[in-house]
Amino acid sequence: MSKKEISDSAPDIIGEHANGGARAREDFFRMQADNLRDAGFKAALCLARGGKILICGNGGSAADSQHIAAEFVNRFLIERPALPAIALTTDTSAITAIGNDRSFDEIFSRQVEALGRKGDILLAISTSGNSSNVIRALETSRRNGLFNIGLSGNEGGKMNDLCDILLLSPTAHKPLLQEIHIAAAHLFCRLTDYYLFENVAALSPYLQTETKV
């Protein structure tokens, strides 16, 4: 059989994924531009006031949590001081102890209770918006005075009622949704750096007073 006679749908699969991803990404950044700007500004303000960012998610979102934390602690694009961010997905001793003694649903909320302080930020990632351990973390975060930022898809599920800023992907297709999440997270890092180190004047009025934003 010659190569011409072999049926191969790979080019179609590639094109469909690429085109669908491009459309979803364009729609997301158009619809969520204001929310992304606000999230970056709020994170910069939190860090400037001595706070920190806690991040959680499951599976691929756990990997994204670690990725994002590393961008803050090391650097994103510019050379600047290390910034305090903690992925709640990395301490296997704490996670397994909490899961074994209490419940898997509490693996993040217990850490938020221990590490979170009023004025800190919790960045919670759930493609469904309904991951029980992420929801528990958001509930604990809210009770303890943290500011909740969420990354989700579709209609946002239970995260809608628990996030101060919810960045919703316009696609229900999980692979594309996850790709949008990391793109959004990169821009979140970029905007945080921008307000902290390139546009300090925008933060100054809020640092000099107790003005809320």
Side-chain angles (χ1 to χ4, degrees):
M1 181 181 291
S2 68
K3 289 184 178 180
K4 290 184 178 180
E5 295 174 327
I6 297 174
S7 177
D8 188 353
S9 298
D12 294 332
I13 294 171
I14 294 168
E16 181 180 356
H17 185 88
N19 293 331
R23 287 192 300 270
R25 181 186 172 103
E26 183 177 324
D27 289 344
F28 172 81
F29 285 115
R30 184 182 67 254
M31 294 185 295
Q32 296 295 331
D34 289 343
N35 279 338
L36 274 166
R37 181 264 179 195
D38 291 346
F41 186 88
K42 189 68 180 183
L45 190 59
C46 163
L47 294 169
R49 287 173 169 169
K52 60 185 172 296
I53 300 173
L54 305 178
I55 313 167
C56 67
N58 297 290
S61 298
D64 286 346
S65 299
Q66 295 165 220
H67 181 161
I68 299 163
E71 303 285 21
F72 280 107
V73 172
N74 183 31
R75 66 169 185 174
F76 185 55
L77 290 177
I78 63 173
E79 286 295 342
R80 40 82 167 151
L83 300 173
I86 303 170
L88 304 181
T89 57
T90 58
D91 189 338
T92 55
S93 293
I95 289 171
T96 53
I98 296 165
N100 185 61
D101 295 346
R102 297 173 178 277
S103 165
F104 184 77
D105 286 349
E106 296 183 45
I107 61 170
F108 300 137
S109 60
R110 191 68 171 170
Q111 293 186 76
V112 170
E113 183 180 344
L115 301 172
R117 297 293 180 267
K118 185 176 181 179
D120 287 348
I121 284 176
L122 175 65
L123 175 60
I125 311 171
S126 170
T127 55
S128 68
N130 294 312
S131 302
S132 57
N133 52 12
V134 173
I135 297 302
R136 290 278 192 96
L138 288 165
E139 291 170 343
T140 299
S141 174
R142 176 156 286 181
R143 283 196 302 270
N144 287 278
L146 282 73
F147 188 88
N148 290 339
I149 299 174
L151 280 169
S152 188
N154 297 321
E155 300 300 318
K158 295 178 181 178
M159 290 177 72
N160 270 301
D161 296 327
L162 294 168
C163 291
D164 299 289
I165 297 175
L166 183 57
L167 301 165
L168 286 174
S169 166
T171 178
H173 187 50
K174 194 171 182 179
L176 294 182
L177 199 162
Q178 290 176 318
E179 291 174 22
I180 288 173
H181 279 180
I182 198 60
H186 278 160
L187 193 52
F188 175 62
C189 295
R190 174 70 184 95
L191 291 171
T192 302
D193 281 356
Y194 167 72
Y195 284 115
L196 269 178
F197 303 106
E198 300 174 46
N199 189 9
V200 181
L203 290 182
S204 295
Y206 300 96
L207 295 174
Q208 295 167 3
T209 68
E210 292 301 313
T211 304
K212 292 184 178 180
V213 61

